[in-house]
Structure formats: C-alpha cells, structure tokens
C-alpha cells in the first residue's frame, strides 16, 4: 500500500474517496428533499388546475368528507379532550402555587387553544389517521395498475384521485379544528370546576380573544388541510416495489405530513406575530 505524499501516514487516494463519500452522504438527502418539494409544488398546481378546469365529482367529495370527517370525530374528541384536561390541571396547579388566582385561567387557555393547540394537534391526528389511509389506498391502486388504467382512459390521476381528497380534507380540517376547540375547552372547564372549584361562568372568558387569534387559527387549519392530502397522495402515486412499496409510502406519508405541519406552524406563527407587531396599537 503506497502512502500519500502530503501525509505519509495516510494511504494514497484515501482522502479524496472519503471526501466524495461525505459529499454523497450530504448531497443525497438534499437532492431527495429538493426533488420531492418540486414534485409536491407541481401536484399542488395541478390540483388547483383541475379544480378550476375539471368536472366536480360531488359523490367522490362526499365520500371523502365522510372518510376524513366522520371517522375522525371520536379520535379528535378523545385526544383534544384529554389534552384540555391535562393542560388545565397543570396550568391550574402552577397558578395556584404561584399566585393563587385562577380568574384568568379560562381566557388564557382559550387563546392558547386557538393560536396553537387546536389546529396543530388536530392536523397531527389527521396526518396520522387520514394520510396513511390515502397513501395506502392510492398506492394499492398503483400496484394493481388501476392508475395506469385511468391514464389509458385519458383520466388524469390527479383529477380523479387527488382533487376530491384535497377538497374534503381542506373543508374537514377547518370543521374539525372548530370542533376540537369546543371539546377541549369544555373538558378544561369541567376539569377546572372539579379540580379547583372554579366556576364555569368564570372560566368562560372571551376577553383575551381577538380577530388575530381567529385568523391565525383558521389560517393554520386551512394550510394544514391543503398540505396533508397533497403529501399523502404524492406518496401513494409514487409507490414502487409492490406491497413493500405501499408500506414505505404510508410511512413516508405520515412522516412528511407531520413534518410539514410543524414547518407550516412555525412559518404561519412567525408571519402572524410579525403582522401583529406592524399593526397600530
């Protein structure tokens, strides 16, 4: 084995090889993310195109509304209900230890629900339950060549498969977010009453809520509702490798959808607070 002229202790040719391996390991994820983001943007544009130019399939939309909404109601109610109880119990215990005043507990909790917890936790639940189902369903159609049959019949898969799921998820994400606020706040009010003796009329305090909170809540729900089905359908349409590919697609769908929710949460929250700071006080 010959040594490198610059470093006698290192074999010749070893450093460039390691450097190429390092660049390859660094570049592959970046190229994958760039390619995936480009494909998602293209699918997003195609979805809007077919929503405007294509034929509205009301039956498929209502089926997806039932699939996304009705089958998620119990899931959302249990998750957000327990979350409301836990948050109120923790916040009430801390407030009682520090100030002993629980008068502001309900108002601040409602503001926190609208700005952050209700839309984001609901989107996480939808990403877990709905995105995996969409990716698995479309992926199975790809594996069994049903998507190829659609293309041979001059039926674009985005028009037939993505548009109904996109419309239904966007609508139901807003509806489920409002439902989540009501359930979580009601559970919090009951927890405050039974745990700390706080009257429900005192707990229901709307003085901290303004247009900013409502706009931020609905903006997040709208953004999540559009992002989750696009990511799930993209994963399903890009399945390869048979049943194992369907499994990978469902995993990619839930991971990418959850990651998108977190990133959109950060972007919308940042933009919201920047806009709030520019408004006259």
């Amino acid at each position: 084995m010959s040594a490198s002229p610059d470093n006698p202790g290192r074999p010749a040719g070893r450093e460039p090889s390691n450097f190429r391996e390092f660049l390859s390991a660094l570049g592959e994820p970046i190229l994958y993310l760039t390619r995936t983001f480009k494909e998602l943007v293209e699918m997003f544009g195609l979805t809007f195109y077919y929503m405007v130019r294509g034929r509205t399939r009301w039956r498929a939309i209502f089926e997806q509304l039932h699939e996304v909404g009705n089958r998620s109601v119990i899931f959302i109610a249990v998750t957000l209900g327990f979350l409301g109880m836990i948050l109120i119990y923790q916040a009430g215990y801390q407030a009682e230890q520090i100030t002993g005043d629980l008068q502001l507990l309900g108002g601040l909790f409602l503001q926190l629900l609208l700005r952050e917890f209700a839309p984001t936790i609901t989107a996480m639940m939808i990403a877990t339950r709905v995105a995996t189902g969409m990716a698995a369903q479309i992926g199975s159609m790809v594996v069994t060549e049903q998507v190829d049959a659609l293309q041979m019949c001059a039926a674009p898969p985005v028009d037939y498969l993505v548009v109904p799921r996109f419309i239904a998820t966007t609508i139901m994400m807003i509806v489920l977010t409002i439902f989540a606020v009501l359930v979580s706040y009601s559970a919090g009010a009951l927890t405050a009453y039974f745990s700390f003796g706080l009257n429900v009329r005192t707990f229901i305090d709307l003085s901290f809520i303004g247009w900013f909170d409502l706009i931020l809540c609905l903006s997040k729900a709208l953004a999540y509702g559009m992002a989750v089905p696009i990511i799930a359908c993209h994963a399903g349409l890009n399945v390869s490798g048979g049943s194992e590919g369907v499994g990978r697609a469902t995993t990619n769908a839930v991971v990418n959808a959850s990651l998108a929710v977190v990133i959109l949460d950060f972007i919308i929250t940042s933009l919201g607070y920047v806009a709030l700071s520019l408004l006259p006080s």
Side-chain angles (χ1 to χ4, degrees):
M1 180 181 294
S2 61
S4 169
D6 297 330
N7 188 349
R10 177 177 298 165
R14 181 68 178 276
E15 185 173 355
S17 176
N18 287 342
F19 187 65
R20 282 196 297 271
E21 291 175 1
F22 170 74
L23 288 179
S24 176
L26 186 66
E28 283 183 7
I30 295 175
L31 288 175
Y32 170 76
L33 290 175
T34 305
R35 185 173 62 251
T36 303
F37 181 74
K38 182 183 176 184
E39 292 173 357
L40 288 173
V41 171
E42 290 175 353
M43 181 174 288
F44 193 74
L46 274 176
T47 303
F48 268 97
Y49 172 79
Y50 287 116
M51 283 175 62
V52 175
R53 301 296 298 272
R55 186 166 61 88
T56 305
R57 296 171 178 79
W58 292 109
R59 182 174 180 179
I61 292 172
F62 281 115
E63 287 176 355
Q64 292 301 319
L65 284 172
H66 179 269
E67 181 68 28
V68 176
N70 293 34
R71 296 190 177 181
S72 302
V73 165
I74 302 299
F75 193 39
I76 298 296
V78 172
T79 305
L80 270 297
F82 275 102
L83 180 68
M85 290 191 286
I86 293 167
L87 287 176
I88 284 298
Y89 191 78
Q90 294 285 358
Y93 178 76
Q94 296 294 333
E96 218 174 32
Q97 294 292 317
I98 297 172
T99 64
D101 184 10
L102 300 176
Q103 301 293 318
L104 305 179
L105 188 62
L108 293 175
F109 177 58
L110 181 57
Q111 188 183 66
L112 194 63
L113 266 183
L114 290 172
R115 290 189 179 186
E116 189 60 48
F117 282 107
T120 304
I121 300 298
T122 302
M124 287 289 190
M125 297 298 102
I126 294 296
T128 303
R129 200 196 74 80
V130 176
T132 52
M134 288 182 180
Q137 189 177 21
I138 297 177
S140 300
M141 294 178 68
V142 171
V143 171
T144 55
E145 300 181 352
Q146 295 180 55
V147 174
D148 293 335
L150 281 176
Q151 291 175 328
M152 291 178 65
C153 297
V158 174
D159 188 16
Y160 276 78
L161 301 177
V162 180
V163 170
R165 289 169 172 80
F166 178 82
I167 295 174
T169 308
T170 303
I171 293 172
M172 291 313 301
M173 187 71 77
I174 295 173
V175 174
L176 289 172
T177 297
I178 297 171
F179 174 72
V181 171
L182 296 175
V183 170
S184 191
Y185 199 61
S186 301
L190 293 176
T191 305
Y193 177 74
F194 287 108
S195 299
F196 306 106
L198 184 64
N199 191 286
V200 175
R201 291 184 179 178
T202 305
F203 185 85
I204 300 175
D205 183 3
L206 304 181
S207 60
F208 289 93
I209 304 305
W211 286 108
F212 172 76
D213 304 299
L214 298 177
I215 292 173
L216 192 65
C217 178
L218 294 178
S219 300
K220 287 185 177 182
L222 180 67
Y224 301 154
M226 291 190 293
V228 169
I230 292 292
I231 292 171
C233 294
H234 173 266
L237 288 172
N238 285 278
V239 163
S240 60
S243 57
E244 292 182 1
V246 176
R248 285 195 299 271
T250 56
T251 303
N252 290 337
V254 69
V255 170
N256 292 340
S258 301
L259 184 62
V261 168
V262 174
I263 293 173
L264 285 172
D265 184 23
F266 174 75
I267 293 172
I268 296 171
T269 301
S270 302
L271 293 176
Y273 280 103
V274 169
L276 185 64
S277 66
L278 296 177
L279 292 176
S281 58

